[in-house]
Each structure stands twice: as C-alpha cells, then as structure tokens.
C-alpha cells in the first residue's frame, strides 16, 4: 500500500509533489510526509492524517526546493504516529527514504545496525533500509563520490528480503535521486528538464505522459536531465519510454458529493466503454483483441482457475456460474493469497485468469507469478493499463471503466461482471452455445447501459430505506445462484463503508447456522429474480419473517412477492440472466452508499482501507 512520489528538476516541487501525493491518497491515508534538500541540508515534515494536513504544515521555503520525495502511508509496522510516517532519515542524517512494501528481515538488519551504533526512532521496517544505506555509504571508497550514493543503495538492497519501492535522497548528492523496486510498483515520469518517480502513473500525469515502468530488481539513478537504469545485481537496462493515454478529467469529482457516488452513477458509460468494439459483426459472440492465446489453444482448455481478492473475487464467482453454464468448462475460484501457497495440482490444459481493478494487488500478482512459474497460460481482467498484473500476464482484457477513486469498488466490479459474462459467451460460442443463443446474449449486453440507467432511478427509494436501516449494527445479505456472489458483495460494501457488520450467504445456507442471528435487530437483504430459484428464495424470506427478522427484498419487476413477507421492496428491471447480477449490483451499491452517508462515514476513504493493496 502507501504511495510514493519523488521529483528532481528545474521547477519547484510545490504543486508537482503535493498534487501527485493527493492523487495517491487512495493508496493509504493515515499519515504523510515530505523531505527535500535545501542547499545541502535534508529537511522533512510529517503529519498524521490526510495529505491536506501535511500541505497546511509545509513552509513556503520547502515548496521552493527542486528535489524532494514524499509519501502517504497505510500503516503496516507501527502505529500511526509522526515517527512512523515517512520519509525516514538515517541516524547520521545523511539520507532520507520513502518506502512502499514490507521488509521481511528488518529485525535482523536493525539488530546488526544497532550493534554498529545506528539509532532507530520508529517502529517501522523501512527505517532499517535507510540506516543500511548510511552504513554502506560510510564503508565505501570516498574517491568515487558520484557513484557512492547509487552503489550504497545497491549494496543495501542485496541484503534486503521482502518487497520495496523506494526513493532516496542523499545530503552529499543534492542533484540526484536513487529509486528501486521489487514487488511494489514504481514508474519514472520523463519530463523536460525534470524527472519524477511514483508508485502509480496517475501521480505523474499532471507533469508528463512519458513514462518508464520499472521491473523488479531494477535501480534508477536520476538527475534533472538524465536517468539510468540498472539491475540491483549491476547489469545495465535499456529504458523503454511509453506514452500514457490517461484522461485526467475522468478522475475529477465534478458535481458529485463523493467519488463513490460518481462511480455508481457513471456505470452506464463505464459498461459501454468496456464492451465497445467487442462483439462480432454478426452479433453472435464477443471478441477480445488482447488475449494473446489462439482459438486453437483456447479450445483445448479444460479447466479455468480464477484468482482474485475481495470484490474481484466475487466477480470470479459470477464467472464460475456463467462459464460453467454457457461454455461447460469447469471453473475454480481461488483467493489469490491462498492459491499462491497451496501448491494445487493443476492439469496441463488449465488456464489462469486473474481479476484485479488496480492491477497491483500483491497477492494476485504473486499468485499469477507462481502459476506462470509452473508453466500455465495466464490472462487478466484488469482496469489499469500498464499495471504490474497486466504486464505479468500472457494476455488479457482491459476493463476501460476509467479510474476508480472511491476505495469501495463499484463501476470496476460491474465492468468485471460484464467481461466475465462476455468471456463466457466467447468460450461458449467456441463450444456448444448456439448462434441464436449467442445473438440473444449479445443483445442483452447491448441493452445493459440503458437498463442500468433505469435501475439507478431507484436511488430516491433507497435513500428512504437507508434512513430507516442506518442504525442497525448487523445485517445479512442472502441470494441463490447468481444472486449469491452479489449478496457477498452487498455485505462487503456495507461493512467497508458504513462499518455495519454484514455477512453474505447463499439463502438456503442460512438454515445451517446464520439463522441464529435473525432477530428484530438483524435485518436481511434478499436478492432474487423470477427464475427457478424464486419460490425457494421466497420460502427462505418467510423463514426470516417467522423469526421477526426485518426483510429488505431486491427483486426483478416480475417477481410476485406477498406484501406481508417483507418490510421493504426494491424492484429492478427484468434482465437476461447473464446480466442480472450487474443490474442487481446497483441497488446493493446504493444501499451501502446511502447508509454510510446517514452514518456520516467517510465514504471514499473508509477507515483502515486502501485502494491498492500492495502488501501481503
Ligand atoms: C472492495 C474492494 C477490494 C478489492 C480488492 C482487490 O470494495 O475494492 O476488496 O476488490 O482489494 O483489489 P484489486 O481489484 O485492485 O486487485
């Protein structure tokens, strides 16, 4: 987690660093800090709280510097205090460092350095690196001053285990910046007489659209006019400069109160963008340009393993239902963090598909690397062009949903559901799915943006329901078949932004334990369409009512639900089953959003969370 930005160039760091840091706040927002070189003096300022607390504390003089590094933190090692906030300064005060990642052997490094007289003032793992750099710097040949800085960082990193994206300033080398990465993302921004470094491309695009994505175990030596990349093992690397096509206006809040609200309401556009150009001319199947797997290879696949975390994992469950139903290919869904260490036996013709909005989730990235190491083909469904996961996979499907800033995923989730459905269609048409069924499904996808627009009109009704239910502290979400993953997602959304304890279950599973929770103080949200599961879901609703549980029912328009079975009814448009989870996601998102507003929660930056989870 955490965000890093660094600047070196002819301009003042002022807006360049602070604007970049604000754009990274979604990565972590419990504290932040900045360090600069003023003549040959390192100066740093740190503050607990959001980036604006840091901004208010920065003296004008600091903002006039031409080189600096800054950081926004999501605490891993040590509480949220100014001592633990970055940048960390070495105990000889010669180096300042910002770090994203986790140093696994920091205790042994710290012990060694303490025996050498280095003092530690924080509880962080990161401070061990900056002191290690100071140690190696001191040990080096003083005649080779310009490389001494770079070489001491390189030497230190040879001893470091774990993940890092770092940027380092040296008091003795005011015109230089050294950065390196392993496991955590780091990107160079190449400007005119200036260079930037950041953990996310979004933190660079206010200055430049020319970027270099660093690979693991690379180290960069930057000054205002130039930079060079080598490996930590000291082999030189050719930089590949790419142009990012990034619409920065898409990341602006406009007239909305929150990014989450904006992202919920822009779903019709996000979905339209994700399906554009992705249907065959005869409108009977989907097309994907970037799979990099031949149709021949795909038709040999006899098992698909989907990997993801959190909301993306719920999208995987929908993929499982849809691909098994329409393409008849067995699918397994794995938490990426578990798959990585489970050493699951896989057949030769297994395909791995990772789903990740950010493309940077370390658990998913590591699981993918593990699958690749074993020789499996890997794909991703991903919303972040050029992200680590996109670059790691053999091929993939970009979501084109636009940047998602609200920490709780909304439009990225529905776009993943849509692409999973389109993948099911594509694989199905390569097997037994008929032309006419294919055409009906394509028609359903094409009608989706309009249907979602219609569904969004339930917002006023949901606002009223939210007022009624905002004070409860527990809630169940229940649904069957395709509605089950949406129940899980509803529970996740509610708990992450309103801090209400919520759980999702297959509705029938309720009888096997969760029913013990049902009471007047634990409402249930049921999700149902009129399909084959309707009567059974209705029976489950009655079981809840019989135990005095309040019921909010979200149902498609054609469901006939006896009034005395429920307390609140939210009707959504009738939809083809392949898109019904997407339609059903809308009221679930709105419910959690409006309840969080009633509870005066910080919707876009919920406590303890961060948008991009780059630590294991
Ligand atoms: C919840 C949410 C998270 C993410 C998870 C994976 O609203 O957004 O559960 O889905 O952290 O993130 P990505 O998709 O970026 O890999």
């Amino acid at each position: 987690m955490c965000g890093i930005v660094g600047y070196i160039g002819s301009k003042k760091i002022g807006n360049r660093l602070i604007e970049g840091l604000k754009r990274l706040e979604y990565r972590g927002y419990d504290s932040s800090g900045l360090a600069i070189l003023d003549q040959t003096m390192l100066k740093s300022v740190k503050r607990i709280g959001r980036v604006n607390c840091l901004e208010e504390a920065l003296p004008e003089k600091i903002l006039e510097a031409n080189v600096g590094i800054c950081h926004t933190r999501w605490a891993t090692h040590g509480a949220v205090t100014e001592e633990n906030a970055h940048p960390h300064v070495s105990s000889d005060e010669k180096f300042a460092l910002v770090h994203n990642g986790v140093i696994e052997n920091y205790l042994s490094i710290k012990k060694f350095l303490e025996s050498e007289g280095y003092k530690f003032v924080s509880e962080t793992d990161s401070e061990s690196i900056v002191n290690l750099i100071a140690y190696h710097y001191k040990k080096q040949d003083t005649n080779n001053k310009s490389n001494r800085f770079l070489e001491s960082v390189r030497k230190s990193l040879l001893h470091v285990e774990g993940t890092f994206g770092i940027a380092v300033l040296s008091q003795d080398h005011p015109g230089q910046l050294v950065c390196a990465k392993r496991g955590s993302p780091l990107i160079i921004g190449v400007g005119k007489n200036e260079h930037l470094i950041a953990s996310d491309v979004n933190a660079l695009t206010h200055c430049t659209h020319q970027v270099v994505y660093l690979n693991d175990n690379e180290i960069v030596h930057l000054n205002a006019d130039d930079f060079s990349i080598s490996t930590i093992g000291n082999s030189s690397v050719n930089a590949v400069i790419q142009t990012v096509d990034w619409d920065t206006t898409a990341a602006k809040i406009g007239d909305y109160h929150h990014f989450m609200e904006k992202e919920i309401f822009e779903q019709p556009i996000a979905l339209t963008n994700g399906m554009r150009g992705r249907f065959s001319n005869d409108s009977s199947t989907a097309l994907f340009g970037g799979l990099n797997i031949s149709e021949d290879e795909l038709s040999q696949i006899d098992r698909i393993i989907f990997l993801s975390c959190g909301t993306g994992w719920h999208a995987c469950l929908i993929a499982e239902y849809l691909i098994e139903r329409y393409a008849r290919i067995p699918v397994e869904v794995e938490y990426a963090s578990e798959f990585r260490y489970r050493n699951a036996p896989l057949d030769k013709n297994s395909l791995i598909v990772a789903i990740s909005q950010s493309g940077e989730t370390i658990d998913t990235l590591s699981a993918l690397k593990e699958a690749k190491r074993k020789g499996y083909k890997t794909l991703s469904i991903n919303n972040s062009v050029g992200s680590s996961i996109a670059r790691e996979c053999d091929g993939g499907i970009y979501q084109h949903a636009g940047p998602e800033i609200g920490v709780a995923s909304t439009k990225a989730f529905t776009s993943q559901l849509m692409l999973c459905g389109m993948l099911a269609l594509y694989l199905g048409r390569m097997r037994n799915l008929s032309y006419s069924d294919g055409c009906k499904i394509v028609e359903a996808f094409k009608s989706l943006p309009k249907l979602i627009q219609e569904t969004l009109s339930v917002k006023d009704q949901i606002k009223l329901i939210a007022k009624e239910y905002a004070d409860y502290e527990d809630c169940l979400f229940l649904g069957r078949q395709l509605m089950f993953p949406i129940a899980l997602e509803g529970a996740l959304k509610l708990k992450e932004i309103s801090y209400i304890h919520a759980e999702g279950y297959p509705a029938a599973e309720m009888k096997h334990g969760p029913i013990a929770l049902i009471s007047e103080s634990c409402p249930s949200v049921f999700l149902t369409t009129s399909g084959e599961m309707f009567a059974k879901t209705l029976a489950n609703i009655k079981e809840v009512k019989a135990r005095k549980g309040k019921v909010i029912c979200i149902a498609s328009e054609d469901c006939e639900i006896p009034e005395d079975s429920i307390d609140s009814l939210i009707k959504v448009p009738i939809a083809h089953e392949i898109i019904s989870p997407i339609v059903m996601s809308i009221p679930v998102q709105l419910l959690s959003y409006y309840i969080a507003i009633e509870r005066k929660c910080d919707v876009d930056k919920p406590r303890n969370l961060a948008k991009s989870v780059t630590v294991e």
Side-chain angles (χ1 to χ4, degrees):
M1 334 270 266
C2 307
I4 293 174
V5 202
Y7 179 84
I8 187 157
S10 53
K11 308 218 169 54
K12 295 175 183 166
I13 58 162
N15 276 340
R16 288 179 125 55
L17 276 189
I18 298 299
E19 174 60 22
L21 202 57
K22 282 184 179 162
R23 289 168 177 223
L24 285 184
E25 230 184 348
Y26 70 91
R27 282 181 163 262
Y29 34 80
D30 53 41
S31 51
S32 55
L34 179 143
I36 56 125
L37 268 168
D38 178 12
Q39 312 295 340
T40 52
M41 282 291 288
L42 273 176
K43 290 193 176 150
S44 82
V45 180
K46 310 192 222 182
R47 284 293 179 271
I48 291 171
R50 302 287 159 85
V51 171
N52 58 5
C53 303
L54 175 71
E55 195 177 9
E56 281 161 19
L58 287 172
E60 198 52 42
K61 189 98 184 66
I62 285 212
L63 296 171
E64 284 172 5
N66 305 113
V67 53
I69 51 176
C70 58
H71 186 268
T72 177
R73 181 171 186 246
W74 183 88
T76 59
H77 294 63
V80 179
T81 61
E82 279 185 13
E83 288 74 26
N84 290 336
H86 300 219
H88 292 287
V89 175
S90 56
S91 75
D92 62 5
E93 299 188 355
K94 279 184 179 295
F95 297 92
L97 163 140
V98 287
H99 167 226
N100 176 17
V102 172
I103 305 305
E104 285 163 6
N105 60 338
Y106 81 101
L107 284 173
S108 59
I109 296 175
K110 183 173 174 180
K111 198 166 161 203
F112 166 73
L113 290 170
E114 279 176 335
S115 73
E116 292 285 318
Y118 288 81
K119 300 263 178 302
F120 285 75
V121 291
S122 79
E123 301 160 272
T124 66
D125 51 337
S126 313
E127 199 183 2
S128 65
I129 324 178
V130 74
N131 278 327
L132 193 59
I133 293 168
Y135 167 80
H136 282 292
Y137 187 78
K138 200 168 156 203
K139 267 185 36 178
Q140 286 207 32
D141 175 6
T142 45
N143 294 329
N144 190 1
K145 210 170 177 187
S146 64
N147 281 332
R148 200 175 153 201
F149 174 27
L150 175 67
E151 292 314 315
S152 48
V153 177
R154 192 194 310 279
K155 281 217 161 65
S156 303
L157 295 179
L158 289 173
H159 298 278
V160 163
E161 288 164 20
T163 54
F164 53 81
I166 55 165
V168 194
L169 288 183
S170 160
Q171 186 189 280
D172 292 351
H173 303 83
Q176 301 176 32
L177 194 57
V178 174
C179 307
K181 94 152 213 128
R182 180 192 298 153
S184 301
L186 210 58
I187 302 146
I188 307 172
V190 184
K192 196 159 179 271
N193 305 119
E194 60 179 358
H195 288 107
L196 292 101
I197 190 95
S199 42
D200 189 323
V201 74
N202 192 31
L204 303 172
T205 48
H206 59 299
C207 302
T208 177
H209 283 234
Q210 302 295 108
V211 301
V212 178
Y213 292 96
L214 292 179
N215 294 310
D216 278 352
N217 295 310
E218 287 180 353
I219 184 164
V220 200
H221 184 225
L222 302 115
N223 56 46
D225 305 312
D226 202 8
F227 68 93
S228 62
I229 308 178
S230 53
T231 64
I232 291 172
N234 210 359
S235 310
S236 66
V237 173
N238 282 336
V240 180
I241 299 180
Q242 301 183 32
T243 305
V244 287
D245 173 18
W246 194 268
D247 175 12
T248 39
T249 53
K252 299 220 162 83
I253 197 161
D255 292 335
Y256 292 97
H257 302 94
H258 300 98
F259 277 104
M260 184 176 177
E261 183 189 24
K262 173 178 184 261
E263 287 153 9
I264 290 175
F265 284 91
E266 71 190 12
Q267 287 177 102
I269 301 167
L271 294 168
T272 306
N273 290 341
M275 69 174 93
R276 183 169 293 125
R278 284 181 166 162
F279 294 114
S280 61
N281 285 341
D282 66 355
S283 289
S284 75
T285 190
L287 297 176
F288 299 106
L291 295 183
N292 291 337
I293 300 185
S294 68
E295 295 217 344
D296 241 16
E297 275 177 290
L298 273 178
S299 56
Q300 302 296 315
I301 295 296
D302 50 27
R303 190 153 76 134
I304 306 180
I305 290 109
F306 275 84
L307 304 173
S308 191
C309 307
T311 285
W313 189 81
H314 300 153
C316 295
L317 292 178
I318 293 289
E320 181 181 28
Y321 280 99
L322 295 179
I323 292 175
E324 290 192 345
R325 183 167 309 183
Y326 291 101
R328 311 296 301 154
I329 304 172
V331 172
E332 280 171 41
V333 176
E334 299 267 0
Y335 284 112
S337 52
E338 290 298 307
F339 175 83
R340 180 186 176 190
Y341 293 106
R342 209 159 60 79
N343 199 16
L346 300 179
D347 301 333
K348 195 165 103 293
N349 290 334
S350 300
L351 172 71
I352 309 290
V353 183
I355 297 190
S356 174
Q357 183 283 127
S358 63
E360 298 297 347
T361 304
I362 192 86
D363 286 324
T364 311
L365 180 61
S366 309
L368 263 178
K369 286 184 177 166
E370 182 61 16
K372 266 187 88 172
R373 202 182 57 77
K374 291 179 175 160
Y376 297 100
K377 282 271 178 199
T378 55
L379 294 180
S380 71
I381 295 178
N382 174 327
N383 196 32
S384 191
V385 176
S387 60
S388 304
I389 288 176
R391 288 181 301 127
E392 187 66 35
C393 285
D394 294 312
I397 305 172
Y398 278 125
Q399 296 180 226
H400 302 307
E404 191 177 67
I405 311 292
V407 162
S409 187
T410 52
K411 65 173 181 173
F413 174 62
T414 50
S415 127
Q416 288 162 355
L417 298 184
M418 181 182 78
L419 294 169
C420 288
M422 288 169 61
L423 188 60
L425 165 68
Y426 176 67
L427 296 171
R429 290 285 292 126
M430 287 169 64
R431 290 171 167 76
N432 291 326
L433 192 70
S434 72
Y435 171 80
S436 66
D437 283 344
C439 290
K440 280 185 202 138
I441 291 173
V442 170
E443 208 178 300
F445 280 119
K446 287 186 175 168
S447 72
L448 183 60
K450 193 163 164 275
L451 220 53
I452 296 299
Q453 196 62 56
E454 266 172 65
T455 313
L456 285 164
S457 67
V458 295
K459 73 172 197 309
D460 293 328
Q461 187 197 355
I462 294 183
K463 264 187 202 167
L464 295 176
I465 295 175
K467 278 190 199 307
E468 205 179 319
Y469 287 88
D471 292 333
Y472 286 88
E473 292 303 333
D474 297 285
C475 187
L476 290 180
F477 282 75
L478 302 158
R480 302 189 71 156
Q481 298 290 299
L482 286 166
M483 295 301 116
F484 160 54
I486 308 305
L488 288 177
E489 176 62 7
L492 180 67
K493 282 295 84 100
L494 189 66
K495 77 182 105 177
E496 65 184 332
I497 62 167
S498 72
Y499 318 138
I500 292 175
H501 165 239
E503 292 183 50
Y505 284 99
E509 197 52 30
M510 181 189 69
K511 298 185 291 295
H512 303 286
I515 198 164
L517 295 173
I518 303 286
S519 73
E520 281 164 336
S521 59
C522 176
S524 300
V525 179
F526 274 88
L527 308 169
T528 183
T529 57
S530 65
E532 56 186 358
M533 286 295 130
F534 176 64
K536 292 183 192 301
T537 308
L538 199 54
N540 298 138
I541 290 178
K542 292 207 179 273
E543 286 153 14
V544 169
K545 276 312 291 172
R547 286 160 182 85
K548 298 201 167 61
K550 287 214 165 215
V551 172
I552 302 172
C553 183
I554 306 177
S556 57
E557 263 158 16
D558 52 349
C559 291
E560 282 183 26
I561 300 176
E563 262 178 33
D564 61 347
S565 321
I566 51 164
D567 297 278
S568 307
L569 179 62
I570 300 164
K571 286 264 178 147
V572 297
I574 302 164
H576 188 292
E577 70 157 7
I578 205 163
I579 57 167
S580 61
I582 309 175
V583 173
M584 210 48 104
S585 299
I586 303 299
V588 150
Q589 295 169 349
L590 288 169
L591 188 65
S592 58
Y593 175 71
Y594 289 121
I595 287 182
I597 302 265
E598 284 298 319
R599 290 167 72 96
K600 306 208 173 355
C601 296
D602 189 345
V603 173
D604 282 340
K605 295 192 177 70
R607 73 180 176 212
N608 302 339
L609 297 178
K611 185 79 184 155
S612 179
V613 185
T614 53
V615 295
E616 270 198 68

